[in-house]
Amino acid sequence: MLLLVTGCSAGSEQAPGQRTVTESKGPAGSVPAGLGAYYGQSLRWGACAPYASSPTAGQAFAASDLQCARLQVPLDYAKPDGKKISLGLLRRPATGQRIGSLLTNPGGPGVSGMEAAASLAKQAAGNELGKRFDLVGFDPRGIGASEPRISCLTGAERDRQRAEDADLDTSPAGVAKNEAQQRDYADKCAERTTDGADMLAHMGTRDVVKDMDVLRSALGDKQLTYAGFSYGTRIGSAYAEQFPKNVRAMVLDGAVDPDQEQLTSVIAQRKGFQEAFDKFSAWCAQQQQCAVGKDPNGATKQFQDLTRGLIGHPIRLADGRELTYDDATTGVTQALYSKQFWQPLNMGLGQLREGNGRVLMALADMYEERYPSGKYSTTQDANMAVHCLDDPRETDRNKLKTAEGEADKVAPFLDDGKPATGELDACAFWKVKANPLPATPKVAGVAPTLTISTTNDPATPYQAGVNLAKALGGGLLTNEGTQHTAFLQGDKCIDKAASDYLVTKKLPPEGTRCPG
């Protein structure tokens, strides 16, 4: 199967996160007809601990300078007087001369924007962004602290699904069995999510963009200042298309290509991961011990031989779980997102040679967002739900087979050696119709935006950022490095250029590159 791989015045002696304050700052700016009550709603800010939907959120929300609230939005914007849902919000108030709010979304789709904002708040503290903007993260509809949340599989069910390596059985019976599992997954998502099909029908980017405009107004901002990462760039470009006059400034880092259909995008992403693996292999060859050998040209073959041995022969771990081929390659993919994981990756592959899967399983659990308790975050379910709405359904098995074969050619280290099957994923059985986003956004009249693209980004290739910057008629900031996204990750060149733009609305000089 082919898969695509977030008020109170500053300076108060009492920590703002420890008290409750109700603010009424909206409506601000333009308000669509019939939505005045939403755009003008008050926000009740208080401690963040009650909003924690996971152990990691509980840790992230512990800082005393963070505040949380709920935003009410309509489930269906065509029926504003109908069912209401709520979104979880988190902010770190500005500490200096405030410009407004900086909204952020970390991507996924499905990643918690509240947790991401809590993490980014540490980077913003003390710099110009932290002084001039309230940093605001939100959990998009159906995700994290937002209510209701999407619910598909229990932790035990997901563990069993991961343990099966079902997609590696390429016989007709194996394909039929796995597609039955995909159908069952789609059924469970509709059955177990509150409001079922109605909720699933309104989890796409079109509705998230409308939610973000409600949030802009409720925060008292006439125009939106936004930083979106990865899939968050898709939210940003869709917002710019739907509300072009409402954009003040927008940083889009790790772009989703607006011109590529999904299968083409998946193949480009696979190529990016192969390039990241090649970079890792070259680094690894210089280490004292390298699990994929001292010859970078032979690393892919070494890796294939090492991981394919897991097919049909998983490694049992101390907790009784088993490291399968799929989990091993998922762990490797997770490690290729950033150079900071290269050392653990080398260690994990070295352990694999000794029949130990502990580190690779830990990396796979990080990707899957599985907690030590055995529970999972909503990320993977939300990711599927959003893609099933945003992207056209592909059910042409021949086209799928061709794409699988092409993906194996451009990323041979992930080739499992099995023939392509054209197997359908859960979207083919989804209970609501797709509502695909248009390809190239039409953004006449939008303020200049800034796209950041990294030369060796494994998940969102560099050219995608070039294409998005061109489509939006904005600026391009190039980061020379091997990682997925770069803003607010400690790179002084990137952080200064993007932060200066967000404060002043002036783009960096054309052709600006940061050495990484």
Side-chain angles (χ1 to χ4, degrees), residues 252-414:
L252 304 175
D253 185 3
V256 175
D257 196 318
D259 298 320
Q260 286 185 339
E261 64 173 10
Q262 187 182 23
L263 290 181
T264 303
S265 180
V266 172
I267 293 167
Q269 187 182 80
R270 286 288 185 90
K271 185 174 185 290
F273 276 110
Q274 179 68 51
E275 291 170 353
F277 177 79
D278 292 342
K279 294 283 186 182
F280 159 75
S281 301
W283 167 87
C284 188
Q286 302 304 312
Q287 309 308 303
Q288 185 174 1
Q289 299 291 331
C290 179
V292 291
K294 293 290 189 176
D295 178 10
N297 294 324
T300 288
K301 179 63 164 58
Q302 291 263 1
F303 180 83
Q304 287 178 339
D305 292 344
L306 184 59
T307 55
R308 287 181 183 179
L310 290 168
I311 299 175
H313 304 282
I315 294 174
R316 181 169 292 276
L317 306 181
D319 63 0
R321 300 168 69 205
E322 292 184 332
L323 179 75
T324 63
Y325 173 86
D326 279 350
D327 271 336
T329 53
T330 295
V332 172
T333 299
Q334 169 65 33
L336 292 176
Y337 272 90
S338 173
K339 291 173 67 174
Q340 66 177 316
F341 291 119
W342 284 5
Q343 187 66 49
L345 175 56
N346 188 29
M347 180 187 299
L349 292 174
Q351 285 185 350
L352 186 58
R353 287 196 178 278
E354 304 298 324
N356 183 339
R358 181 179 59 83
V359 169
L360 288 183
M361 182 64 93
L363 288 167
D365 285 346
M366 183 183 299
Y367 182 92
E368 298 283 356
E369 294 192 19
R370 182 189 191 271
Y371 308 119
S373 65
K375 294 182 178 180
Y376 287 77
S377 77
T378 57
T379 297
Q380 298 302 328
D381 294 334
N383 187 290
M384 181 65 73
V386 174
H387 280 306
C388 289
L389 284 180
D390 281 2
D391 300 311
R393 308 280 166 82
E394 185 54 73
T395 57
D396 184 329
R397 295 181 187 278
N398 289 328
K399 189 173 181 180
L400 288 168
K401 282 183 180 180
T402 299
E404 287 178 45
E406 185 62 27
D408 286 341
K409 288 180 182 178
V410 300
F413 87 107
L414 289 176

Side-chain angles (χ1 to χ4, degrees), residues 19 35 57 87 112 131 148 265 268 271 283 295 349 367 373 391 409 431 443 450 460 467 470 473 480 497 505:
R19 57 178 175 163
L35 296 174
L87 311 183
S112 168
K131 295 175 183 177
S265 180
K271 185 174 185 290
W283 167 87
D295 178 10
L349 292 174
Y367 182 92
S373 65
D391 300 311
K409 288 180 182 178
K431 297 304 179 183
V443 293
L450 177 63
T460 50
N467 295 345
K470 181 179 179 181
E480 296 176 349
K505 299 188 290 184

Side-chain angles (χ1 to χ4, degrees), residues 36 80 89 149 173 179-180 186 202 206 218 225 254 288 303-304 345 413 425 442 503:
L89 312 177
R149 284 195 294 173
E179 288 188 353
H202 294 96
R206 294 176 186 273
T225 305
Q288 185 174 1
F303 180 83
Q304 287 178 339
L345 175 56
F413 87 107
D425 69 3
K442 306 294 190 296
V503 171

Side-chain angles (χ1 to χ4, degrees), residues 84-132:
K84 294 180 176 68
I85 61 175
S86 74
L87 311 183
L89 312 177
L90 178 145
R91 77 174 176 185
R92 177 191 179 275
T95 58
Q97 187 176 356
R98 182 179 179 276
I99 293 174
S101 298
L102 171 61
L103 272 62
T104 184
N105 181 278
V111 178
S112 168
M114 295 177 70
E115 289 188 51
S119 177
L120 292 177
K122 299 174 184 177
Q123 295 289 336
N127 67 19
E128 198 66 11
L129 282 184
K131 295 175 183 177
R132 306 301 302 276

Side-chain angles (χ1 to χ4, degrees), residues 142-301:
I143 294 166
S146 295
E147 298 175 346
R149 284 195 294 173
I150 187 170
S151 179
C152 299
L153 300 180
T154 66
E157 287 171 338
R158 191 171 291 280
D159 277 349
R160 286 196 295 272
Q161 187 181 74
R162 287 174 61 184
E164 288 181 3
D165 259 357
D167 58 326
L168 295 176
D169 183 353
T170 57
S171 68
V175 171
K177 179 182 177 181
N178 203 40
E179 288 188 353
Q181 186 181 71
Q182 295 297 314
R183 184 188 297 274
D184 180 66
Y185 173 79
D187 290 343
K188 283 184 169 63
C189 289
E191 293 166 0
R192 296 177 177 179
T193 300
T194 301
D195 296 315
D198 285 343
M199 184 66 189
L200 295 182
H202 294 96
M203 280 192 62
T205 300
R206 294 176 186 273
D207 285 296
V208 172
V209 162
K210 292 182 174 69
D211 294 342
M212 198 158 66
D213 200 54
V214 172
L215 176 55
R216 169 199 61 75
S217 174
L219 292 170
D221 292 342
K222 292 183 178 180
Q223 290 184 302
L224 176 76
T225 305
Y226 175 74
F229 301 83
S230 197
Y231 160 77
T233 68
R234 196 173 197 185
I235 294 176
S237 61
Y239 183 93
E241 180 171 51
Q242 191 162 345
F243 302 102
K245 300 297 184 181
N246 292 358
V247 174
R248 176 190 169 274
M250 188 175 285
V251 168
L252 304 175
D253 185 3
V256 175
D257 196 318
D259 298 320
Q260 286 185 339
E261 64 173 10
Q262 187 182 23
L263 290 181
T264 303
S265 180
V266 172
I267 293 167
Q269 187 182 80
R270 286 288 185 90
K271 185 174 185 290
F273 276 110
Q274 179 68 51
E275 291 170 353
F277 177 79
D278 292 342
K279 294 283 186 182
F280 159 75
S281 301
W283 167 87
C284 188
Q286 302 304 312
Q287 309 308 303
Q288 185 174 1
Q289 299 291 331
C290 179
V292 291
K294 293 290 189 176
D295 178 10
N297 294 324
T300 288
K301 179 63 164 58

